Amino acid sequence: MPERLLEEITEDLSDDDLGLLLLIRHFERKLLDLFGQGLVQGTTHTCLGQEYVPVALTPLLGEPDYVFSNHRGHGHYLARFRDPYGLLAEITGREGAVCGGVGGSQHILSGRYLSTGIQGESLPVAAGVALHLRDAEPGALALAYIGDGTWGEGAVYEALNMAALWRLPLVVVTENNGIAQTTPTAAQLAGTIGDRARAFGCRFLHVDSRHPHEIRDALRPLFERTRQGAGPLVVEFATHRIGPHSKGDDTRSAEEIRHARDHDWYPREGGSPRFARMDAEARAFVEVVAGEVLGRPLSAREG
């Protein structure tokens, strides 16, 4: 998509959508900065370039719905809870952490939100939760985020088989960024995700748009049908990973990285005055969050 159209997308966004997109973008950038300073331990996988996916989907979800995230889930969490303080405290092991600092970047439990760093692990669990929701809480659904590489896990197909047979209220969101850690998707995924989903009788939608309103308009009726008993829905987002897999381990060529950045929703030239103002506000807010959280004592989780 040409850069001009990307700038038009940011101009069409509501302040709420744009503010959330920018919060996630600068939160992730700050994490990489903190890691470079040695202030983040272990590993961290950012969703740079993919922020619009959870921003678009979260308004389609209600409080009774479950969300299952993955290793690249900071944006999923922030879109669901808008809690950068708690998330950064969790990642850095400070007081006020979502899970007392024991979950870190990848393994978070907060109400009906769960994330895991194990590829494919969440799909059977999400199917089981969807079975419970179908029988005990009609109208609620379970949504699970996975990547293109996760389609190499057998658990995905076991879960889809059960979900289709039992017509479970399950939505599987695939963020296909074209690379599974360091392996190009074309080198590890035969056929298409759509054909694999349809082979189990699942409804399927491929999404190229990066505009939250367009995405919601397309998915709202499909989500509603899922809630009403139409069975599982698989949604594939053709997206781009702007940052590394984790920290600084980007094995892509300069041309591949440039291609991803050319398709980013974030304007490279600063955008309009409105965008520039909100961008600066989000950047400053994240700096405030980081300063406050890093000034806290380390978490002393009891029990």
Side-chain angles (χ1 to χ4, degrees):
M1 182 179 290
E3 183 176 338
R4 181 181 66 82
L5 293 181
L6 289 173
E7 292 181 355
E8 288 176 0
I9 285 177
T10 61
E11 281 310 290
D12 289 342
L13 292 172
S14 67
D15 283 357
D16 187 63
D17 281 341
L18 181 56
L20 184 54
L21 281 167
L22 292 170
L23 168 64
I24 299 171
R25 172 60 58 108
H26 290 298
F27 185 93
E28 296 289 60
R29 283 179 169 174
K30 188 61 180 177
L31 276 184
L32 291 179
D33 176 54
L34 294 175
F35 193 93
Q37 297 179 48
L39 298 174
V40 173
Q41 305 301 315
T43 189
T44 186
H45 305 79
T46 67
C47 66
L48 293 167
Q50 302 175 192
E51 300 95 334
Y52 67 92
V53 178
V55 170
L57 295 183
T58 297
L60 299 177
L61 301 173
E63 194 170 320
D65 298 328
Y66 277 78
V67 172
F68 293 85
S69 182
N70 54 28
H71 63 295
R72 202 175 301 283
H74 306 149
H76 305 156
Y77 178 88
L78 290 173
R80 178 79 166 176
F81 299 110
R82 306 195 183 212
D83 175 31
Y85 287 96
L87 180 58
L88 186 59
E90 181 62 37
I91 293 171
T92 58
R94 304 284 170 165
E95 283 189 356
V98 182
C99 299
V102 299
S105 172
Q106 300 181 66
H107 301 100
I108 293 177
L109 170 63
S110 180
R112 294 191 168 193
Y113 175 97
L114 305 89
S115 66
T116 177
I118 308 301
Q119 300 305 303
E121 180 184 41
S122 64
L123 259 294
V125 181
V129 167
L131 176 62
H132 163 79
L133 295 174
R134 186 199 69 182
D135 297 338
E137 300 182 43
L141 60 77
L143 182 146
Y145 289 99
I146 63 174
D148 47 287
T150 311
W151 285 86
E153 296 288 338
V156 171
Y157 304 98
E158 295 177 18
L160 288 181
N161 186 55
M162 292 185 289
L165 283 172
W166 300 336
R167 301 180 72 83
L168 302 182
L170 174 67
V171 177
V172 180
V173 174
T174 303
E175 295 170 305
N176 186 348
N177 56 29
I179 187 166
Q181 188 167 341
T182 58
T183 304
T185 301
Q188 57 86 17
L189 184 72
T192 68
I193 291 172
D195 285 343
R196 293 181 180 210
R198 284 187 285 262
F200 287 91
C202 298
R203 290 169 301 128
F204 173 79
L205 181 69
H206 179 87
V207 178
D208 284 313
S209 174
R210 275 154 283 175
H211 195 299
H213 288 304
E214 292 176 356
I215 295 167
R216 287 178 203 140
D217 288 345
L219 285 175
R220 187 172 287 108
L222 300 181
F223 273 49
E224 188 59 30
R225 288 193 62 201
T226 302
R227 297 181 188 280
Q228 294 173 354
L233 169 68
V234 177
V235 184
E236 177 188 11
F237 283 87
T239 189
H240 295 83
R241 194 189 81 201
I242 305 303
H245 168 68
S246 169
K247 310 177 294 295
D249 57 350
D250 203 330
T251 60
R252 294 173 295 177
S253 67
E255 181 179 353
E256 290 171 318
I257 295 174
R258 183 168 55 251
H259 176 78
R261 290 176 176 167
D262 285 345
H263 289 74
D264 191 12
W265 62 268
Y266 186 93
R268 288 179 295 165
E269 303 302 328
S272 68
R274 168 181 173 258
F275 181 92
R277 172 180 58 80
M278 295 186 66
D279 189 48
E281 291 172 352
R283 190 192 307 267
F285 174 64
V286 168
E287 290 296 331
V288 169
V289 171
E292 198 277 334
V293 169
L294 292 173
R296 299 177 184 179
L298 294 175
S299 176
R301 188 173 185 270
E302 298 179 359

